[in-house]
Each structure stands twice: as structure tokens, then as C-alpha cells.
Amino acid sequence: MTRGSTLSAHPLSRSTGRLAIPAQTRTSPASLPELPELLDGFNALPADEATHRLLGCLRNLRWARRIADHRPYPTVEALFAASDEAAYDLTAADLAEALAGETLPPLPDDAYEAAHMALGAAHAAYEARFGHAFVIYLGDIPAREALDRTLEAIRSRLTNDPDDERIIAWEELRRLARQRLLTLLADTGPRPDGRHPRHGA
């Protein structure tokens, strides 16, 4: 069986009609223990279950199926590279599907009502301009700074050209996908007692 793709992300290009994905991430698989065992669990999932779980990460069926079909992956970086490569190949319709599945990051429980109103107004303006939900990767941002960073990013990106914003949104989806894939690996890996979760459970 062919191993998963280890191709790197493509450089930025506007000539292909598809969105290029700059190669950058600060998500580190080293923070997860027993990575080979985590990959074993994911690689062993039945195809339908793998696709279903990947759809929760990627929000696009073609993206999810491609990652599921190219298992097994020898390393987490190979999985990430395959996800990036599949993301590059998605069409504008695929992007619309993925964005339709996204929502704003949740506000902290102690956020003031004014914060909710400010975020809601900014997001409404963004959706009116670009026709899709605002997406942002906040994995490297402390929780106490998430609201300010989100508002700042929405207001800044409102000035973008729609084509430029589409590329930025795609890059944010790519980075979110990597974070969610790590969570998926943890969910399908061995439990503290050494046993793997039951597939389909």
C-alpha cells in the first residue's frame, strides 16, 4: 500500500486558478506522546469512519476523502504535507463548502456584552463584504488575547481585495486543519490503559 504524500506546500501563485498555500505552521506534533501509536490508530480506522472524522477537521468532503484514501501515513509531518497538498488542489466550490462549516472562535466566558456586540458587528461586516465566515487560527495566542486578536484581524482584513482575502482564509483553514488533525490523532490513539478506542464507538 502506498504511503501518504510527503510533498511540501506550493508557493504562492495566482496563475493556476487555485489557491496556493504558504508553508508555515507553529503546531508541533512533538507535544503529543507516542506518535507512532497515535498514527497506527488513525491509519487503522475503517475508510468510512476515517472520512467522517476527517470531515469534522477539514469541513470539506473531497479534502477528507483524499486524506483518508492516502493512508497509511508514516509520520505526522507526512500527514500534514498530504493535508496541505490536498488543500492546494481544492476548487473555489470546495473552499466555499469548507468555509460554510466554520464559525467564529468562542468568546471567553467572562467576556462583556459589549465584546459580543463588537465581535458580532465586525463579523457581520466581514460576511457582507466577502460572503463567508471569518476564519482565523488562534492556536498560538493566549486565551486572554483571543478576542482582541480576532477583532483586530477582522478589521484589518476587511480592507483586503476579495481575491487576496480568499487566499488568507484558505491559509487559516490549512493551519486550523493541522491543529484539528493533531486532536484527531489523540482521539484515535491509545488510552491510558494502553487500549485503542473501539472504532465506531
Side-chain angles (χ1 to χ4, degrees):
M1 189 170 184
T2 303
R3 285 288 187 181
S5 170
T6 58
L7 294 176
S8 60
H10 287 253
L12 190 63
S13 171
R14 293 177 180 275
S15 61
T16 63
R18 288 175 175 166
L19 297 175
I21 307 300
Q24 64 168 346
T25 183
R26 294 181 61 185
T27 303
S28 174
S31 61
L32 288 178
E34 304 297 337
L35 282 175
E37 291 189 18
L38 292 178
L39 280 165
D40 287 346
F42 171 69
N43 286 332
L45 287 174
D48 288 348
E49 183 178 352
T51 299
H52 175 74
R53 294 198 182 197
L54 286 163
L55 187 58
C57 299
L58 308 174
R59 312 294 201 256
N60 174 263
L61 184 58
R62 194 156 76 96
W63 194 355
R65 282 176 174 166
R66 180 162 166 179
I67 300 307
D69 290 347
H70 282 77
R71 293 175 302 154
Y73 296 98
T75 66
V76 174
E77 286 304 325
L79 173 61
F80 282 171
S83 178
D84 291 350
E85 184 74 7
Y88 172 77
D89 288 335
L90 296 182
T91 65
D94 292 321
L95 172 60
E97 179 186 331
L99 288 170
E102 294 293 334
T103 59
L104 277 175
L107 288 176
D109 293 338
D110 58 352
Y112 293 107
E113 182 64 26
H116 287 271
M117 294 178 62
L119 185 59
H123 189 246
Y126 179 95
E127 285 191 315
R129 175 162 172 73
F130 298 113
H132 58 76
F134 176 81
V135 290
I136 185 171
Y137 171 76
L138 294 172
D140 303 323
I141 306 301
R144 64 183 180 278
E145 299 178 16
L147 173 60
D148 288 342
R149 291 293 187 95
T150 301
L151 280 170
E152 177 184 351
I154 293 177
R155 290 164 178 164
S156 174
R157 286 163 56 180
L158 272 170
T159 65
N160 288 339
D161 174 89
D163 288 340
D164 291 337
E165 179 57 26
R166 203 159 61 103
I167 292 173
I168 293 171
W170 200 263
E171 164 64 4
E172 295 299 309
L173 285 175
R174 184 190 73 88
R175 298 181 74 197
L176 284 167
R178 286 183 167 220
Q179 181 185 47
R180 291 165 179 168
L181 286 170
L182 285 181
T183 301
L184 174 58
L185 291 181
D187 288 344
T188 57
R191 294 170 175 165
D193 60 9
R195 295 185 300 173
H196 284 266
R198 286 188 308 157
H199 295 157

